[in-house]
Amino acid sequence: MAQPYNHRAVEEKWRKHWEEHPVNVNDGKKPKYYCLDMFPYPSGSGLHVGHWRGYVISDVWSRYKMLQGYYLIHPMGWDAFGLPAENYAIKMGTHPSITTAENIKNIKKQINQIAAVYDWDMEVNTTDPAFYKWTQWIFVKMFKAGLAYEKEMPINWCPSCKTGLANEEVVNGCCERCGSPVTKKDLKQWMLKITEYADRLLNDLDKLDWPEKVKKMQTDWIGKSYGAEVDFPIEGREEKITVYTTRPDTLYGATFMVLAPEHALASSLASEETRDIVDKYIFDSSMRSNVDRLQDKEKTGVFTGSYAINPLNGAKIPIWLSDYVLADYGTGAIMCVPAHDDRDFEFATKFHIPIVQVIAKDGQEIEHMTEAYTEASGTMINSGEWNGMESAVLKKEAPMIIEKMGIGKKTVNYKLRDWVFSRQRYWGEPIPIIHCPECGAVPVPEEDLPLLLPDVERYEPTGTGESPLAGIEDWVNTTCPCCGGPAKRETNTMPQWAGSSWYFLRYVDNKNDKALVDKEKARKYLPVDMYIGGVEHAVLHLLYSRFYTKFLYDIGAIEFDEPFTKLFNQGMITGKNGIKMSKSKGNVVSPDDLVRDYGCDSLRLYELFVGPPDLDSEWDDTGIDGVYRFLNRFWKMAMDNKDKDVPETPELTKTRHKLIYDITQRLESFNLNTVVSGFMEYNNKLIELSRKTGVDKTTLETYTILLAPFAPHIAEEIWEQLGHTDSVFTQAWPEYDEEAMKEDEIVIPVQVNGKTRCTISIAVNVPKEDVLSLAKDTLGDRIKGTIRKEIYVPGKIVNIVAK
RNA sequence: GCCGGCCUGUCGGAAUUGGCAGACGAGACGGACUCAAAAUCCGUUGGUGGCAACACCGUGUGGGUUCAAGUCCCACGGCCGGCACCA
């Protein structure tokens, strides 16, 4: 009688063994495969079953690639700077460097429970000076390239986190981290010119094997639009107002103009009569927060008292101010065509401004418009020499026409803004800049990097817009590397995204102090072939990383300009009713007890079995019994057969090839939940065969190799029990033979009028006529009426149509 | 408002190009083993009607295409996610 499966002993045994005998080795000959997880920030609360999922998926894929003969790059590290780590430290009253180190230790232990094949020699930590030396180096390079610049402007400010935020970090007007409403604050900020890369970031999406959803989100975020800038003279003044429009075809329909209250000319356009209300409007707008502006859709506005001249037809149109026009997009001023734009229509209706239709809708001019006609399709009307043209054609040509006329120019615009890069917080990389009264902003010389984050007593945010570093006089006061005169250090730190924008390059050469990554190693091991993580970084980390990679490519530090060839976003594991797992909700499921009671292999399988890997899944503890029973049944079947010397039968051969085929197909298409059910199905089949003929050794071995990426411990143990002294992971992924899978006899359904009535069993190459007559014989008098049509889809189905 | 995804038994979920809907698992019920329980093993499990063979209904709703629709087309509803006055 075989011993029952003891997961604790077996897993413990192989855990130790693999530590001493790593299975992923670089022999210098194998091609590389780089499979990367989004690295975690070392939080104090530890891992829950949701975190496991992504790591299990990437590990299964990694081990599969290993069995396919690749040398695997599968590293892990820590995104340890930033707000979460700092806030945790403040809450605990302990310095972030201490809590971070503790948290890393704990999480590493928890990650090791997964038994993933991480290569810990490659570990990186963004808070390690040897690492952030290069984070700072990249900043200096960007500064020298003119991509990092300082600007005083109103930026997004989180009053709770007490720091400025990038646009990408503001979600529905609130802080991405803490959910507090974001306000505006005038601050001198370091900015990165990501907009300079807008076109490349947009165009290169085409060459990426990424989920369409993420590409779409990045496309929308970059938000490229084509249009024209048109200059409108102001009546009685020298200046012109330039507007940006994507619909220059509707220029004749412009009946008013609106400027953002922050527009440079806004106040000066007021007349004596309107002076008071104009200034009040400008003041009131400046007091309104982002959230207010977003929530109040009801349009407000004031007439300035001035008029602009439509450069096409000389029409005099009133100039208004309204906060529905954004100051920092386009020119901060728009021409308004109420007949063909919803917002302009709403505004014109509210303030009784004329509406002039310039595109015929369904060939008609509408007497009283009740809504804007926004499509660019129809014939131009009321448009002078443009009358009769097709609006779709004109929309494309108008920018050139306008340019030729000298009243404007063809142009493009982006929603993407430059990246607000300074944070007024302690726990981040100090920005390596020295402010000299003589020389201006001077970068810290590259040979002086890293610029260490000073150890301080007080690291709480000040809330004033000053960084906590500003209070450390002997650190702040320094000398200018340029002129040697007294100077002050920049006291802002970098955002958390700084380290995560390039960390994946460092793994393959994490100890190099001469370069960010050695060229030769980069050529050999980079870029990332498969990147696995949650979708929440679609326009944050994933956009920033692409920007950094392109920059590093441009300065010749690396030789590729896209970091992640393929991307997979795993779905979230939620608690009951789809509620996100969180401490405050009390629905966090810890993997620790599950690993103890069911084993690592069971939990790995169940993480996959819960549902399709790309969709969110609700966690339900009771389901893990199913995979646990499966492993025990597989163990028993294997133990029952391993010493029996069962000869291979045609049925066993066929089953084995079909097994390889099914598992490989499902794995390749990333249907990992169905891979697990496939293993169960074939195990049931083998148990059945085991009773009939027994199961031969080749089939047992094949099954074991296939299972190894999913349940490595039990597979390794069975592999040994089957008489092998080497690791199952030194084997090659089995191949199937289509010929060997073919059945000689197949069962096909027979339908009458599309409803299945019976099945018939036929040999594969039976001619149509014979199949049909067998079908009709089997059906007998169940065919009612006369036969109108007989359909036979070879190998699939018979359908008799009768009436 | 715009864009994307999803909707299938009691539950999680399966279903290459349209071809036996409900694989696999959970739960439940029945049986074997046991003094008993757990574990394990065997069986049943979409609904309605029927002793039964079988028949009818059934993949969010309504319509359509087709010999055949969960799958394709049109309209509508619900849930989730992204963007949101970007001119």
Side-chain angles (χ1 to χ4, degrees), chain A residues 26 32 34 71 73 121-122 504-528 557-560:
Chain A
N26 185 9
K32 67 92 188 182
Y34 189 169
Y71 164 59
I73 319 274
D121 290 342
M122 293 184 171
F504 44 89
L505 305 172
R506 186 66 179 175
Y507 281 130
V508 300
D509 195 16
N510 63 347
K511 290 167 194 79
N512 192 339
D513 61 357
K514 300 280 180 298
L516 166 151
V517 58
D518 173 69
K519 281 257 180 76
E520 192 50 42
K521 285 186 175 160
R523 205 170 290 140
K524 243 193 204 151
Y525 301 127
L526 298 175
V528 174
I558 49 174
E559 291 166 341
F560 49 91

Side-chain angles (χ1 to χ4, degrees), chain A residues 323-334:
Chain A
D323 66 6
Y324 84 88
V325 174
L326 303 175
D328 59 351
Y329 180 78
T331 62
I334 59 169

Side-chain angles (χ1 to χ4, degrees), chain A residues 289-428:
Chain A
S289 71
N290 272 17
V291 181
D292 291 342
R293 277 202 186 190
L294 279 170
Q295 274 165 358
D296 276 342
K297 293 275 167 128
E298 174 76 33
K299 295 208 173 9
T300 60
V302 289
F303 172 52
T304 57
S306 297
Y307 292 86
I309 307 298
N310 186 327
L312 266 190
N313 58 6
K316 196 172 121 177
I317 61 174
I319 304 173
W320 289 66
L321 302 184
S322 174
D323 66 6
Y324 84 88
V325 174
L326 303 175
D328 59 351
Y329 180 78
T331 62
I334 59 169
M335 67 171 205
C336 297
V337 186
H340 303 287
D341 181 276
D342 291 325
R343 296 150 303 183
D344 298 348
F345 184 88
E346 192 194 326
F347 195 87
T349 310
K350 181 167 175 185
F351 294 106
H352 310 291
I353 300 168
I355 296 169
V356 176
Q357 188 183 349
V358 291
I359 304 167
K361 185 188 180 190
D362 304 322
Q364 307 254 321
E365 177 161 7
I366 301 157
E367 191 94 5
H368 292 290
M369 289 190 103
T370 53
E371 57 177 1
Y373 174 58
T374 56
E375 319 255 314
S377 106
T379 312
M380 301 308 299
I381 53 174
N382 300 322
S383 294
E385 70 276 17
W386 289 352
N387 279 337
M389 287 183 76
E390 274 307 306
S391 110
V393 177
L394 183 57
K395 188 181 169 210
K396 282 197 195 113
E397 289 179 1
M400 271 89 82
I401 298 173
I402 285 163
E403 204 165 301
K404 264 192 207 137
M405 292 172 72
I407 58 170
K409 62 175 188 191
K410 186 180 171 182
T411 180
V412 292
N413 248 305
Y414 301 89
K415 290 190 198 178
L416 184 72
R417 306 294 149 84
D418 277 344
W419 177 5
V420 176
F421 199 68
S422 5
R423 297 293 178 274
Q424 293 69 46
R425 297 283 301 225
Y426 170 69
W427 194 234

Side-chain angles (χ1 to χ4, degrees), chain A residues 506-777:
Chain A
R506 186 66 179 175
Y507 281 130
V508 300
D509 195 16
N510 63 347
K511 290 167 194 79
N512 192 339
D513 61 357
K514 300 280 180 298
L516 166 151
V517 58
D518 173 69
K519 281 257 180 76
E520 192 50 42
K521 285 186 175 160
R523 205 170 290 140
K524 243 193 204 151
Y525 301 127
L526 298 175
V528 174
D529 295 291
M530 171 65 106
Y531 197 23
I532 293 175
V535 75
E536 64 273 14
H537 294 297
V539 290
L540 289 158
H541 163 62
L542 289 172
L543 188 66
Y544 296 151
S545 300
R546 295 184 60 222
F547 165 51
Y548 264 55
T549 302
K550 287 182 187 304
F551 171 71
L552 291 171
Y553 169 81
D554 288 351
I555 62 168
I558 49 174
E559 291 166 341
F560 49 91
D561 68 347
E562 281 293 341
F564 316 121
T565 309
K566 189 173 165 71
L567 173 70
F568 180 81
N569 294 125
Q570 87 272 14
M572 211 180 11
I573 296 277
T574 69
K576 267 272 154 269
N577 303 316
I579 299 163
K580 197 172 171 175
M581 277 193 191
S582 75
K583 246 188 187 168
S584 56
K585 298 263 166 31
N587 61 352
V588 173
V589 180
S590 159
D592 299 3
D593 295 352
L594 295 168
V595 169
R596 189 193 60 220
D597 296 340
Y598 296 93
C600 168
D601 286 346
S602 290
L603 186 53
R604 286 171 62 106
L605 286 178
Y606 188 56
E607 290 279 348
L608 304 173
F609 193 56
V610 260
D614 55 333
L615 301 182
D616 292 355
S617 296
E618 282 180 28
W619 187 264
D620 176 10
D621 266 351
T622 61
I624 197 172
D625 285 307
V627 291
Y628 180 73
R629 286 176 196 144
F630 153 67
L631 284 181
N632 282 287
R633 280 153 55 84
F634 171 59
W635 170 268
K636 185 170 181 301
M637 187 278 295
M639 291 305 111
D640 285 351
N641 286 280
K642 72 178 169 97
D643 299 321
K644 280 192 190 154
D645 253 335
V646 177
E648 199 171 322
T649 65
E651 189 168 18
L652 283 164
T653 311
K654 204 178 295 166
T655 305
R656 183 171 70 242
H657 284 279
K658 282 171 129 177
L659 165 73
I660 302 168
Y661 176 82
D662 274 344
I663 298 298
T664 309
Q665 293 297 306
R666 293 175 191 195
L667 184 49
E668 278 293 330
S669 57
F670 240 74
N671 293 320
L672 301 178
N673 53 328
T674 66
V675 176
V676 178
S677 52
F679 277 122
M680 292 172 170
E681 246 171 282
Y682 279 95
N683 187 44
N684 292 343
K685 171 86 179 167
L686 292 182
I687 288 171
E688 190 192 317
L689 289 174
S690 170
R691 290 189 192 120
K692 271 164 64 181
T693 58
V695 178
D696 64 290
K697 200 170 165 196
T698 312
T699 301
L700 288 177
E701 287 174 342
T702 303
Y703 192 111
T704 305
I705 298 169
L706 294 171
L707 185 66
F710 298 83
H713 306 88
I714 196 172
E716 192 76 291
E717 176 66 22
I718 290 177
W719 187 251
E720 188 184 62
Q721 297 269 347
L722 288 170
H724 297 281
T725 50
D726 53 356
S727 167
V728 68
F729 293 102
T730 61
Q731 302 305 301
W733 188 255
E735 286 179 14
Y736 57 86
D737 176 0
E738 299 224 17
E739 281 306 307
M741 282 163 43
K742 282 194 178 139
E743 300 278 355
D744 341 303
E745 197 159 85
I746 49 170
V747 176
I748 61 165
V750 177
Q751 302 183 325
V752 177
N753 296 332
K755 287 184 177 163
T756 306
R757 286 294 177 249
C758 63
T759 55
I760 53 172
S761 183
I762 54 164
V764 253
N765 291 321
V766 177
K768 182 179 177 179
E769 294 71 33
D770 297 358
V771 175
L772 286 172
S773 65
L774 174 63
K776 282 183 282 187
D777 286 352

